[in-house]
Amino acid sequence: MIIMLNLFKPFYPLFFASLKGNPESAHNQALHILHNIQSQRDKTWGRWIIQQLENSFCVNYPHLSQSLWNFNFAHPLGLAPGFDKNAQGAGIWSSFGFSFAELGAVTYHSQEGNPKPRMFRLPADKALLNRMGANNQGAEAIALRLQETWQKQERTIPIGINLCKSKITELNDAKEDYLKSFQVLKAHADYFVINVSSPNTPGLRSLQGGEQLEPILDTLQSHNQGEKPILVKIAPDLENEQIRSIIKVSQQYQLSGLIATNTTIKKEGLQTKILNETGKPITEEAGGISGLPLRQRSTEVIRFIYRETEGKLPIIGVGGIFDTESAWEKITAGATLLQFYSGWVYQGPWIVPDILQGLSRKLEENNLDNLSQAVGIGVNN
């Protein structure tokens, strides 16, 4: 199978193009297959498939490893949330070479999400448009699935959970909603992310303001007592003063880091002018854009946070990572870890070993012994 996987690599773009008719359906089918493989890992065939995945996508570069929050990250590349909303593949992401994976977004109440179609590919822009609406089975169901998963196997990589406010919960009650999810899921993951930046839950982004964010963080940290790393994920569409406010609150409540950035609601300048599935101008479509169009802005936000905090607040960089150059760009701007989703979908799972090989080469070119030495080196140069 390892030979088959590598032979398949040149044909991946054609395979990807063949799935454009219903991206959400293809996505769900893939997760269903991965869940079946994971759940049958104790069987000979399941164990064999996982071994072949690991032979194809897992590589070892010791100088790319870093320690953060008392966890070892073998390298900086992780799976971004949105791909595995219901933790169906929680135990298999390490076999695709990821050094960590973030699940969700998870809400306390299960929710169907927005009307379909709600996931669109914009191949001319190497982007995705999604207005999923945080569809997931709810914190209780996902906690049960994770409990079952970790009973069968130990966690081999750090697992994060992205928490979002339930749509039916009023904004004024957001702190209780986040807390309930955190309490239910706390034992089943290694770190948690407070998502107040998705454009697909009505009013959610208003919670990024300092006065709205403080009660959420105060409630969570009072319960957490420093046990789990808690981070906040921010939008790319904020002004510098708004980001400064979030940084201040993050430091006040001793957050473990910031994630920059979520999807953007700005749709100007795209190659895609009309969304074929609806026939409407892309600028009139609801939802957030991820992928290559986000590359520059997310890097700018990372650099701004790094400067403002003097590199003292860890940053997970996400947005437009498609190759070694875009990954290195974010690391040298101040990101300690990286996540991707669109790049993995467009380029296929080979992107992980390809980027890691490239990052190893970058360290050698810059006479650096460890990746941690590269974090932020481009900010003041």
Side-chain angles (χ1 to χ4, degrees):
M1 184 172 176
I2 181 172
I3 296 174
M4 290 173 60
L5 286 171
N6 289 330
L7 288 174
F8 183 62
K9 184 178 179 181
F11 301 99
Y12 182 79
L14 292 174
F15 169 73
F16 177 79
S18 72
L19 300 176
K20 67 181 180 180
N22 191 338
E24 183 176 354
S25 176
H27 186 106
N28 290 337
Q29 288 173 15
L31 281 173
H32 180 70
I33 292 170
L34 293 179
H35 180 68
N36 285 341
I37 294 171
Q38 172 188 291
S39 62
Q40 298 297 317
R41 65 186 307 124
D42 55 336
K43 304 287 179 62
T44 302
W45 70 268
R47 191 162 52 247
W48 183 81
I49 290 176
I50 289 172
Q51 185 62 58
Q52 301 314 307
L53 290 173
E54 292 174 355
N55 289 342
S56 297
F57 305 122
C58 295
V59 293
N60 182 31
Y61 294 101
H63 47 303
L64 296 181
S65 68
Q66 299 176 90
S67 180
L68 189 64
W69 314 315
N70 294 321
F71 297 115
N72 178 60
F73 292 84
H75 58 74
L77 301 183
L79 180 71
F83 199 96
D84 191 0
K85 291 172 178 286
N86 292 309
Q88 292 168 273
I92 205 171
W93 295 122
S94 61
S95 300
F96 281 95
F98 290 110
S99 73
F100 68 108
E102 190 174 316
L103 312 174
V106 179
T107 55
Y108 181 66
H109 299 281
S110 63
Q111 49 191 46
E112 292 294 322
N114 292 323
K116 299 177 182 180
R118 54 194 182 181
M119 180 190 290
F120 309 92
R121 291 174 181 165
L122 312 181
D125 297 284
K126 287 199 170 180
L128 300 174
L129 168 66
N130 100 78
R131 46 173 177 257
M132 301 294 287
N135 56 305
N136 72 103
Q137 295 168 355
E140 295 278 2
I142 292 168
L144 182 60
R145 180 170 294 120
L146 286 172
Q147 182 179 14
E148 293 172 349
T149 300
W150 307 140
Q151 283 175 346
K152 285 189 174 182
Q153 62 183 106
E154 291 184 0
R155 293 205 285 279
T156 56
I157 57 173
I159 296 292
I161 295 182
N162 187 289
L163 300 179
C164 191
K165 182 189 75 69
S166 304
K167 186 176 182 180
I168 64 172
T169 300
E170 297 293 335
L171 289 171
N172 290 338
D173 299 323
K175 62 181 182 180
E176 287 85 5
D177 191 83
Y178 282 106
L179 178 61
K180 287 176 182 176
S181 293
F182 181 65
Q183 289 172 321
V184 168
L185 291 159
K186 185 179 177 183
H188 308 297
D190 299 301
Y191 74 91
F192 288 83
V193 177
I194 310 309
N195 184 350
V196 286
S197 52
S198 170
N200 300 319
T201 297
L204 187 71
R205 284 191 168 191
S206 68
L207 296 176
Q208 292 179 110
E211 291 182 0
Q212 289 79 15
L213 189 56
E214 284 188 39
I216 297 172
L217 299 182
D218 183 55
T219 300
L220 286 170
Q221 290 291 49
S222 295
H223 176 82
N224 184 36
Q225 294 294 306
E227 188 175 341
K228 300 283 184 176
I230 294 180
L231 298 84
V232 165
K233 187 169 187 174
I234 66 173
D237 309 315
L238 298 172
E239 300 295 333
N240 285 349
E241 280 305 313
Q242 294 173 299
I243 299 174
R244 276 197 187 97
S245 175
I246 293 173
I247 291 171
K248 183 179 178 181
V249 173
S250 299
Q251 293 170 329
Q252 179 184 348
Y253 288 96
Q254 299 180 312
L255 292 192
S256 297
L258 291 175
I259 300 184
T261 62
N262 213 315
T263 57
T264 178
I265 57 174
K266 294 180 179 178
K267 302 179 179 71
E268 293 75 23
L270 295 174
Q271 296 295 315
T272 304
K273 303 302 179 185
I274 302 293
L275 191 64
N276 291 334
E277 290 84 347
T278 65
K280 295 180 181 177
I282 192 69
T283 52
E284 295 179 10
E285 293 288 350
I289 297 286
S290 64
L292 207 55
L294 200 54
R295 173 178 170 175
Q296 181 178 344
R297 178 54 186 162
S298 64
T299 303
E300 289 172 355
V301 175
I302 290 165
R303 186 178 294 112
F304 180 80
I305 295 170
Y306 189 85
R307 279 201 183 113
E308 289 291 308
T309 63
E310 299 179 340
K312 295 175 182 176
L313 190 64
I315 303 166
I316 298 180
V318 55
I321 300 172
F322 276 69
D323 52 24
T324 297
E325 289 303 321
S326 49
W328 182 250
E329 175 185 279
K330 282 178 167 49
I331 291 166
T332 57
T336 299
L337 298 173
L338 305 172
Q339 293 176 327
F340 53 5
Y341 174 161
S342 302
W344 198 70
V345 169
Y346 272 95
Q347 308 294 87
W350 299 273
I351 189 175
V352 174
D354 286 353
I355 288 180
L356 295 179
Q357 182 181 35
L359 290 178
S360 178
R361 189 172 60 248
K362 286 285 189 182
L363 290 185
E364 292 178 11
E365 292 171 357
N366 289 272
N367 296 314
L368 300 174
D369 297 323
N370 185 268
L371 190 70
S372 59
Q373 296 171 322
V375 176
I377 62 170
V379 173
N380 297 314
N381 292 350

